Amino acid sequence: MAGFGLEQWVSYLGLERVVDPDKDHPVYRKRLNGKIIDLRQLDLLVAQRLRDLRTDRQLAQAKVAMLLGLKEATYARYETASSLMTVGRLLHVFEVLNITPEEFFDPFVKERPPQSEGNSQEAERNKLMEETVGHLQKLDETALKMVHDLVLAMEPRTIEKQKGNGAAKAAP
């Protein structure tokens, strides 16, 4: 099976073709708060979220910088988006601020407008998935391992059901 073509994938994900002034070719994005936000604006939102989380914890920039092994000026540039972090550095920031990636990005995801009627099943599935993940995050290691083993045991039956009776296709 070759998989989805570009147009099918774009449609499946609900992406829109946009022109990014920093690129010489089109890119595909999803709406946030009903509009497409350019990548620079998204960098600024991430920087603001970082700053808000630090101040909510009543931590000085100098202290966070020290915990990250950075100069204060370097860390300050992250909070203004004048310098961008690597993914590894961002994960380190999450450790220092005691936050998960899901918690950090949750406001960006939650602000998305509701799915259209045509995607109501997909929206319901996404909501169920989100709620399930929330419950899983609260489990201790033993309970999480039990749920994991149960899901693995159920997987072959789910795949067979999808193949055999015309049930919804698995995500590509």
Side-chain angles (χ1 to χ4, degrees):
M1 178 182 212
F4 282 99
L6 178 65
E7 293 302 319
Q8 291 170 310
W9 188 248
V10 166
S11 175
Y12 175 80
L13 295 176
L15 297 172
E16 294 181 38
R17 183 179 170 157
V18 297
V19 176
D20 185 329
D22 295 330
K23 306 281 184 199
D24 60 353
H25 54 277
V27 296
Y28 296 84
R29 302 285 312 281
K30 286 189 178 182
R31 292 185 175 273
L32 183 64
N33 282 336
K35 62 183 178 179
I36 303 276
I37 297 176
D38 68 44
L39 295 178
R40 176 67 184 145
Q41 184 64 33
L42 195 55
D43 289 338
L44 291 170
L45 290 172
V46 168
Q48 180 65 49
R49 176 83 170 129
L50 185 63
R51 187 170 39 259
D52 291 346
L53 289 167
R54 178 187 54 77
T55 57
D56 287 350
R57 287 158 175 73
Q58 299 178 359
L59 293 170
Q61 282 185 340
K63 185 177 283 186
V64 174
M66 183 184 71
L67 292 168
L68 294 170
L70 299 171
K71 293 181 181 176
E72 184 178 351
T74 301
Y75 179 77
R77 287 192 302 268
Y78 292 154
E79 287 192 3
T80 60
S82 56
S83 288
L84 301 179
M85 289 182 272
T86 63
V87 172
R89 175 70 71 202
L90 186 58
L91 291 173
H92 190 192
V93 169
F94 295 162
E95 293 171 358
V96 167
L97 295 179
N98 193 31
I99 189 168
T100 66
E102 294 83 4
E103 291 167 324
F104 183 86
F105 290 109
D106 194 49
F108 302 110
V109 176
K110 292 241 187 264
E111 292 177 316
R112 293 194 189 278
Q115 299 282 334
S116 67
E117 284 301 314
N119 291 334
S120 61
Q121 281 184 323
E122 182 181 340
E124 184 61 33
R125 180 174 170 30
N126 290 342
K127 181 180 178 206
L128 182 60
M129 188 72 75
E130 183 179 311
E131 289 174 2
T132 302
V133 169
H135 292 297
L136 291 173
Q137 289 174 331
K138 297 173 188 171
L139 297 177
D140 64 21
E141 289 298 315
T142 303
L144 185 59
K145 174 75 171 122
M146 291 170 60
V147 171
H148 177 264
D149 293 345
L150 175 64
V151 170
L152 287 178
M154 293 172 61
E155 196 170 65
R157 285 184 244 159
T158 304
I159 292 169
E160 285 305 313
K161 193 181 282 187
Q162 289 173 349
K163 284 181 186 175
N165 67 5
K169 295 178 185 172

